[in-house]
Amino acid sequence: MEAYRQTKGRIFDIQKFSIHDGDGIRTIVFLKGCVLRCRWCCNPESQEYPIQKMIVAGEEKIIGKDVTVDEVMKTVEQDRPYYYRSGGGLTLSGGESLCQPEFARDLLRAAKERGINTAMESMGCAKYEVIESILPYLDHYLLDIKHMNPAKHKEFTGRSNELVLENARKLAASGQTRLSIRIPVIPTFNDSEEEIRAIARFSKELHNIEKIHLLPYHRLGQDKYDGLGREYLMKDIVPPKAEHMEMLKRAAESESGLVCQIGG
């Protein structure tokens, strides 16, 4: 067995039969650890790299497990027929996959060498050299861009956005992978027409963007904060209405000239 298949990493979930986060039917591997602390994060158990305990349905659950590439691929390979028929494959998510760059790279490599399509959902919060090391094994980069204003980005996520935007430019210029932009639409943060148009305008300037996804805010992760003994800072925020999302979709399309969809 090749040595890279024994690379170890830390995950907190594997979700099979997903129709989001890439084309077709996919298996999503969630890696632990993130450099951001987004107020609305629906996977707060992903933020810390250390293994944690969380109360789930009244019972204590261990969050986080150390695995090898080979162990993960045994699960991923189980659904190869579905990938083949639907154009699906493996997607890495988190957290931020780039916090475990060697593990992410080697997972993607293992999938590619077995003819499985690869995607990664990521904020691009790493040195570009790190991103560059995974591109030979990545078919589709799903890049989160949350805001164009660095101060507001830092207020709501804990970090500024300069590195993300710089990496977006470099990724698009490289032409090494399909690149889609994903915008979490968060009331009080970025759900105005002006703010969405600003991200759409930036996406248009990158030239090589395939699609823009608008991802409406939801509260599905709120109970996890209770389970971790943390306060959920968005408890008073109401998810955007369908007609508001449609308005933002039209604004993004007219500003960018790109295909735009809600969700996905």
Side-chain angles (χ1 to χ4, degrees):
M1 183 183 296
E2 294 186 70
Y4 83 91
R5 291 177 62 88
Q6 293 305 306
T7 300
K8 289 185 177 181
R10 184 167 292 173
I11 67 173
F12 68 95
D13 197 12
I14 297 180
Q15 178 181 319
K16 301 174 73 173
F17 301 110
S18 175
I19 55 171
H20 303 291
D21 300 305
D23 301 327
I25 295 172
R26 310 195 71 82
T27 296
I28 307 178
V29 179
F30 293 88
L31 279 65
K32 221 167 179 321
C34 190
V35 295
L36 300 185
R37 293 295 181 268
C38 302
R39 293 184 186 178
W40 61 89
C41 180
C42 61
N43 288 329
E45 75 275 36
S46 75
Q47 294 178 350
E48 300 290 342
Y49 178 75
I51 293 173
Q52 298 168 283
K53 293 178 180 178
M54 183 169 76
I55 304 300
V56 180
E59 296 186 3
E60 191 173 84
K61 181 180 179 182
I62 300 298
I63 304 296
K65 180 171 71 169
D66 293 331
V67 292
T68 65
V69 166
D70 194 52
E71 287 170 335
V72 173
M73 287 307 300
K74 285 176 182 176
T75 300
V76 173
E77 294 247 27
Q78 290 170 1
D79 294 326
R80 179 186 288 274
Y82 298 102
Y83 311 147
Y84 179 75
R85 290 198 291 267
S86 69
L90 166 69
T91 298
L92 302 187
S93 188
E96 169 55 72
S97 301
L98 298 176
C99 289
Q100 299 186 54
E102 294 83 9
F103 184 56
R105 178 199 64 209
D106 290 350
L107 272 175
L108 296 169
R109 177 183 172 184
K112 286 297 292 177
E113 290 185 354
R114 280 150 188 78
I116 296 174
N117 177 273
T118 60
M120 183 174 72
E121 188 276 327
S122 162
M123 288 81 74
C125 294
K127 292 181 180 179
Y128 188 70
E129 292 75 18
V130 171
I131 296 174
E132 207 168 25
S133 71
I134 72 170
L135 292 181
Y137 312 112
L138 185 62
D139 292 312
H140 195 178
Y141 203 124
L142 304 162
L143 179 65
D144 277 19
I145 295 185
K146 307 177 195 301
H147 211 288
M148 294 303 297
N149 182 294
K152 197 166 188 182
H153 192 281
K154 184 173 183 179
E155 179 187 354
F156 277 76
T157 73
R159 283 203 180 191
S160 188
N161 63 352
E162 286 95 346
L163 181 60
V164 177
L165 301 182
E166 178 186 340
N167 284 338
R169 295 185 184 96
K170 291 178 179 178
L171 272 166
S174 78
Q176 285 186 263
T177 183
R178 294 168 56 200
L179 183 59
S180 296
I181 301 300
R182 292 155 59 94
I183 308 171
V185 178
I186 313 298
T188 72
F189 173 57
N190 68 352
D191 70 328
S192 72
E193 180 177 346
E194 179 184 3
E195 288 164 313
I196 295 300
R197 281 186 178 274
I199 301 175
R201 193 157 50 245
F202 175 78
S203 301
K204 179 182 180 179
E205 293 168 358
L206 297 178
H207 300 298
N208 288 326
I209 302 303
E210 188 170 287
K211 188 182 286 188
I212 294 175
H213 297 259
L214 299 177
L215 310 178
Y217 164 74
H218 59 75
R219 294 170 168 171
L220 297 180
Q222 184 170 350
D223 289 346
K224 296 180 179 180
Y225 288 81
D226 293 335
L228 291 168
R230 292 175 53 185
E231 181 184 4
Y232 184 62
L233 299 176
M234 306 288 285
K235 58 182 177 293
D236 297 323
I237 302 302
V238 178
K241 294 181 178 180
E243 54 266 34
H244 186 67
M245 291 301 302
E246 288 293 340
M247 181 273 289
L248 295 179
K249 176 178 179 288
R250 291 192 296 271
E253 287 175 333
S254 66
E255 190 70 46
S256 67
L258 295 165
V259 174
C260 179
Q261 75 177 57
I262 298 170

